[in-house]
Amino acid sequence: MVSTRVALLLGAAIVTVGTASLADYCTVDYATSVLPIQDLGLGITIDTSSVSASLTTNRSVSSEWYAASVIDYCDVTFAYSHNGLNNDTVHVSYLVPTPESFSNRYVSTGGGGLAINSGAFYSPTGIIVGAVSGITDGGFGNFNTQYNAAFLLAEGTVNWQATYMFGYQAHHELAMLGKQFTRNFFNVSDSDKVYSYYQGCSEGGREGWSQIQRFVDQFDGLVTGAPAFRFSQLQTNHLSGGVIEGALGYYPPPCELEKIVNLTIAACDGLDGKVDGVVARSDLCKLHFDYKSTIGEPYYCAASSRGGGPGGLHRRQFPGSGPTPEQNGTITAEGVAVASAFTNGLIDSSGKRIYLNPQPGSTFADAITKYNTDTSSWEPSIPGLGGEWIARYLNLEDKSNIDSLTNVTADTLRDWMALGMQKYEDSLQTTWPDISAFKEAGGKVILVHGEADSSIPAASSVHYYESVRNAMYGDLAYDESVIAMDEFYRLYIVPGGAHCGSNPNQRAGGWPATTLQTVIEWAEEGVEPDMLANEGEIEALCKWPLRPLWSGDGENFDCVSDEASRESWIYTFDAFKVPVY
């Protein structure tokens, strides 16, 4: 419990903050005096001895998610525990802006991969918009500890507390504590509104939706990027490349797949009416481009000591990739077969669809092979995210990957997906489609997804949007249902965009940098974002289901409705006997 002295200070010390400087109130004593000790219904106890406060001034920050800025802030960190649990400690950190820049706002920011926070990657955006900006460690040990380190209590035994914290609970507590802490710190009266926002991408995008689906009035607005919806399908599907290659009996050199990507980009670039190095209509590419046209084209890649594939793949995703020899050859029919089957997505032995894969023009990241120096041949490189999902989260082994893909088929992947879907339906799947209560509470959400995302396919976000539209407005005509969705939920596909950022293979695509400001204007001023400002050659992004098209030799830009193109984004996962939203 908080001491009597601290409770008294809560009513006295906070009245001075409006006239104080940042240095005056960035102290442990002041931070302790304004802890969110009010009963928020969370069942927690704050450790008042854990408080720290550190001042940062003139820090230069930059990101594709916000404009380059110089910021001042006070970083206040404290810990709390859940009542009734032993050895339970959760750390939260709140960056507090200067009094003169505070705009009655709070912002939570999310993580990525298996991390529940991204540290300072997103959090400066809160300071930029005049908000207190919070992150959590989920109770996993510290801000640098990821969920996989806390998942198992022992082999065979799930740490369900950590799982529910990662799934949704930690971010709920972070936001509830953060909003009250913001009120206390700046002495905001109960009659004045503190607007609450969220921003995150990938796992951070999923974390945002975990809140929308459960705590409907927690945030006034959210920016979610490339959300990790359908956690079991998504993670298992990272193994699809190697399984498809095994079924076809061909493991293409990475350079062959990279050449196919480059030729696809060149061929499909102008389908939007403008040649600018960006595939802005991957749907038209899917409908009209044939990978077979690349057969016989030469490729060359120098030997590399880094290994990996196109774009320099992350070590966490491909921990086994090593040095690669010089690659010199021509695109084969076998390589094209792999590219075609991979783009089409997983199909089971009965011809039913299991899942989807990235759009044409994306890298074949999950199909990248590694070189075996002993056999002088290419073999599957098992992606770490997919392999760990099976080993740790389904088999409950303390391992970061499976040993091989031997005897693993598309049907195996389907069954693994179904197992994880059932096991983690209420924690990690994050696919509940009826978000009517969020809409009725006045919430606004903007979802952005890179069209060339090779980690979480852009069509994944389309599938969830369509699931929500059908669940909430399935009785309306299509155009009417989209208008209804536009009141609170808008999806923007970023032409050429990669996973949560711009694409080195399609540099002119850019990335929207002021989306949080856009959702703030929508929530606070009712300014509806018909298009979304972008930093690339295409300066504004079309909201789904409209797609970009240039006319007049690339002089005039418009957002158009194209039913055939729209349908190319739509999938039915009929390999499962239950709905997959």
Short mmCIF file of all heavy atoms in Angstrom, two decimals, residues 259-260 263-264 266-268 285 288-298 331-333 336-337 340:
data_model
loop_
_atom_site.label_atom_id
_atom_site.label_comp_id
_atom_site.label_asym_id
_atom_site.label_seq_id
_atom_site.Cartn_x
_atom_site.Cartn_y
_atom_site.Cartn_z
N LYS A 259 15.94 -12.67 -58.00
CA LYS A 259 15.79 -12.23 -59.39
C LYS A 259 14.32 -12.25 -59.80
O LYS A 259 13.84 -11.34 -60.50
CB LYS A 259 16.61 -13.14 -60.30
CG LYS A 259 16.57 -12.73 -61.78
CD LYS A 259 17.26 -11.39 -62.01
CE LYS A 259 17.37 -11.08 -63.51
NZ LYS A 259 18.11 -9.84 -63.77
N ILE A 260 13.59 -13.26 -59.38
CA ILE A 260 12.16 -13.33 -59.69
C ILE A 260 11.43 -12.13 -59.09
O ILE A 260 10.56 -11.52 -59.73
CB ILE A 260 11.55 -14.65 -59.20
CG1 ILE A 260 12.13 -15.82 -60.00
CG2 ILE A 260 10.03 -14.63 -59.30
CD1 ILE A 260 11.70 -17.19 -59.49
N LEU A 263 12.26 -8.98 -61.16
CA LEU A 263 11.57 -9.00 -62.45
C LEU A 263 10.06 -8.77 -62.27
O LEU A 263 9.42 -8.13 -63.11
CB LEU A 263 11.81 -10.32 -63.16
CG LEU A 263 13.25 -10.55 -63.65
CD1 LEU A 263 13.41 -11.99 -64.17
CD2 LEU A 263 13.62 -9.56 -64.74
N THR A 264 9.52 -9.26 -61.17
CA THR A 264 8.10 -9.03 -60.89
C THR A 264 7.85 -7.55 -60.66
O THR A 264 6.88 -6.98 -61.19
CB THR A 264 7.67 -9.83 -59.64
OG1 THR A 264 7.92 -11.22 -59.86
CG2 THR A 264 6.18 -9.63 -59.36
N ALA A 266 9.60 -5.03 -61.78
CA ALA A 266 9.75 -4.32 -63.05
C ALA A 266 8.53 -4.51 -63.95
O ALA A 266 8.06 -3.57 -64.60
CB ALA A 266 11.02 -4.80 -63.76
N ALA A 267 7.99 -5.72 -63.98
CA ALA A 267 6.86 -6.01 -64.86
C ALA A 267 5.56 -5.40 -64.36
O ALA A 267 4.71 -5.01 -65.15
CB ALA A 267 6.70 -7.53 -65.01
N CYS A 268 5.40 -5.29 -63.05
CA CYS A 268 4.13 -4.86 -62.47
C CYS A 268 4.13 -3.40 -62.03
O CYS A 268 3.07 -2.88 -61.63
CB CYS A 268 3.77 -5.75 -61.29
SG CYS A 268 3.47 -7.47 -61.75
N CYS A 285 -1.15 -7.20 -60.48
CA CYS A 285 0.01 -8.05 -60.74
C CYS A 285 -0.38 -9.52 -60.58
O CYS A 285 -0.05 -10.37 -61.41
CB CYS A 285 1.14 -7.68 -59.79
SG CYS A 285 2.72 -8.50 -60.15
N HIS A 288 -2.56 -10.54 -63.60
CA HIS A 288 -2.07 -10.46 -64.98
C HIS A 288 -0.63 -10.92 -65.21
O HIS A 288 -0.25 -11.20 -66.35
CB HIS A 288 -2.20 -9.01 -65.50
CG HIS A 288 -3.61 -8.51 -65.49
ND1 HIS A 288 -4.61 -9.06 -66.28
CD2 HIS A 288 -4.20 -7.51 -64.78
CE1 HIS A 288 -5.74 -8.42 -66.07
NE2 HIS A 288 -5.53 -7.48 -65.16
N PHE A 289 0.19 -10.99 -64.15
CA PHE A 289 1.59 -11.35 -64.34
C PHE A 289 1.78 -12.85 -64.15
O PHE A 289 1.23 -13.44 -63.22
CB PHE A 289 2.49 -10.58 -63.37
CG PHE A 289 3.94 -10.93 -63.48
CD1 PHE A 289 4.67 -10.58 -64.60
CD2 PHE A 289 4.58 -11.61 -62.46
CE1 PHE A 289 6.01 -10.90 -64.70
CE2 PHE A 289 5.92 -11.94 -62.54
CZ PHE A 289 6.64 -11.58 -63.67
N ASP A 290 2.57 -13.44 -65.02
CA ASP A 290 2.85 -14.88 -64.96
C ASP A 290 4.33 -15.08 -64.66
O ASP A 290 5.20 -14.64 -65.43
CB ASP A 290 2.49 -15.55 -66.29
CG ASP A 290 2.55 -17.08 -66.22
OD1 ASP A 290 3.13 -17.61 -65.26
OD2 ASP A 290 2.02 -17.72 -67.14
N TYR A 291 4.63 -15.73 -63.54
CA TYR A 291 6.02 -15.98 -63.18
C TYR A 291 6.77 -16.75 -64.27
O TYR A 291 8.00 -16.67 -64.38
CB TYR A 291 6.10 -16.76 -61.87
CG TYR A 291 5.83 -15.96 -60.62
CD1 TYR A 291 4.93 -16.42 -59.66
CD2 TYR A 291 6.50 -14.77 -60.36
CE1 TYR A 291 4.69 -15.70 -58.49
CE2 TYR A 291 6.27 -14.04 -59.21
CZ TYR A 291 5.36 -14.52 -58.28
OH TYR A 291 5.13 -13.81 -57.12
N LYS A 292 6.05 -17.50 -65.09
CA LYS A 292 6.72 -18.28 -66.13
C LYS A 292 7.47 -17.41 -67.12
O LYS A 292 8.40 -17.87 -67.78
CB LYS A 292 5.69 -19.14 -66.87
CG LYS A 292 5.11 -20.27 -66.03
CD LYS A 292 4.10 -21.08 -66.82
CE LYS A 292 3.50 -22.21 -65.97
NZ LYS A 292 2.48 -22.98 -66.71
N SER A 293 7.07 -16.14 -67.22
CA SER A 293 7.75 -15.23 -68.15
C SER A 293 9.18 -14.94 -67.73
O SER A 293 9.97 -14.39 -68.51
CB SER A 293 6.98 -13.91 -68.26
OG SER A 293 6.98 -13.22 -67.02
N THR A 294 9.55 -15.32 -66.51
CA THR A 294 10.91 -15.06 -66.03
C THR A 294 11.85 -16.23 -66.28
O THR A 294 13.07 -16.10 -66.07
CB THR A 294 10.91 -14.76 -64.51
OG1 THR A 294 10.53 -15.94 -63.79
CG2 THR A 294 9.93 -13.65 -64.17
N ILE A 295 11.34 -17.36 -66.74
CA ILE A 295 12.19 -18.54 -66.95
C ILE A 295 13.28 -18.22 -67.98
O ILE A 295 13.01 -17.63 -69.03
CB ILE A 295 11.34 -19.74 -67.43
CG1 ILE A 295 10.40 -20.18 -66.32
CG2 ILE A 295 12.24 -20.90 -67.86
CD1 ILE A 295 9.44 -21.29 -66.74
N GLY A 296 14.50 -18.59 -67.64
CA GLY A 296 15.62 -18.37 -68.54
C GLY A 296 16.36 -17.07 -68.30
O GLY A 296 17.46 -16.87 -68.85
N GLU A 297 15.81 -16.19 -67.49
CA GLU A 297 16.50 -14.93 -67.19
C GLU A 297 17.71 -15.21 -66.29
O GLU A 297 17.62 -15.99 -65.34
CB GLU A 297 15.56 -13.95 -66.50
CG GLU A 297 14.44 -13.43 -67.38
CD GLU A 297 14.96 -12.49 -68.46
OE1 GLU A 297 16.03 -11.87 -68.26
OE2 GLU A 297 14.30 -12.39 -69.52
N PRO A 298 18.86 -14.56 -66.58
CA PRO A 298 20.07 -14.83 -65.80
C PRO A 298 20.04 -14.14 -64.44
O PRO A 298 19.42 -13.08 -64.27
CB PRO A 298 21.18 -14.25 -66.67
CG PRO A 298 20.51 -13.15 -67.44
CD PRO A 298 19.11 -13.62 -67.70
N ILE A 331 16.97 -18.48 -64.23
CA ILE A 331 15.75 -18.87 -63.54
C ILE A 331 15.20 -20.14 -64.18
O ILE A 331 15.09 -20.25 -65.41
CB ILE A 331 14.71 -17.74 -63.59
CG1 ILE A 331 15.22 -16.54 -62.79
CG2 ILE A 331 13.37 -18.20 -63.04
CD1 ILE A 331 14.33 -15.32 -62.89
N THR A 332 14.87 -21.10 -63.34
CA THR A 332 14.41 -22.40 -63.82
C THR A 332 12.90 -22.53 -63.71
O THR A 332 12.24 -21.79 -62.97
CB THR A 332 15.06 -23.52 -62.98
OG1 THR A 332 14.63 -23.37 -61.62
CG2 THR A 332 16.58 -23.45 -63.04
N ALA A 333 12.36 -23.51 -64.41
CA ALA A 333 10.94 -23.82 -64.28
C ALA A 333 10.63 -24.27 -62.86
O ALA A 333 9.55 -23.99 -62.32
CB ALA A 333 10.54 -24.90 -65.28
N VAL A 336 10.39 -21.19 -60.65
CA VAL A 336 9.11 -20.51 -60.91
C VAL A 336 7.97 -21.27 -60.26
O VAL A 336 7.02 -20.67 -59.72
CB VAL A 336 8.90 -20.37 -62.43
CG1 VAL A 336 7.44 -20.08 -62.76
CG2 VAL A 336 9.81 -19.26 -62.97
N ALA A 337 8.03 -22.58 -60.27
CA ALA A 337 6.99 -23.38 -59.62
C ALA A 337 6.94 -23.10 -58.12
O ALA A 337 5.86 -23.00 -57.53
CB ALA A 337 7.22 -24.87 -59.88
N SER A 340 5.44 -19.55 -57.65
CA SER A 340 4.00 -19.56 -57.91
C SER A 340 3.23 -20.21 -56.77
O SER A 340 2.21 -19.68 -56.30
CB SER A 340 3.70 -20.28 -59.22
OG SER A 340 4.32 -19.63 -60.31
#
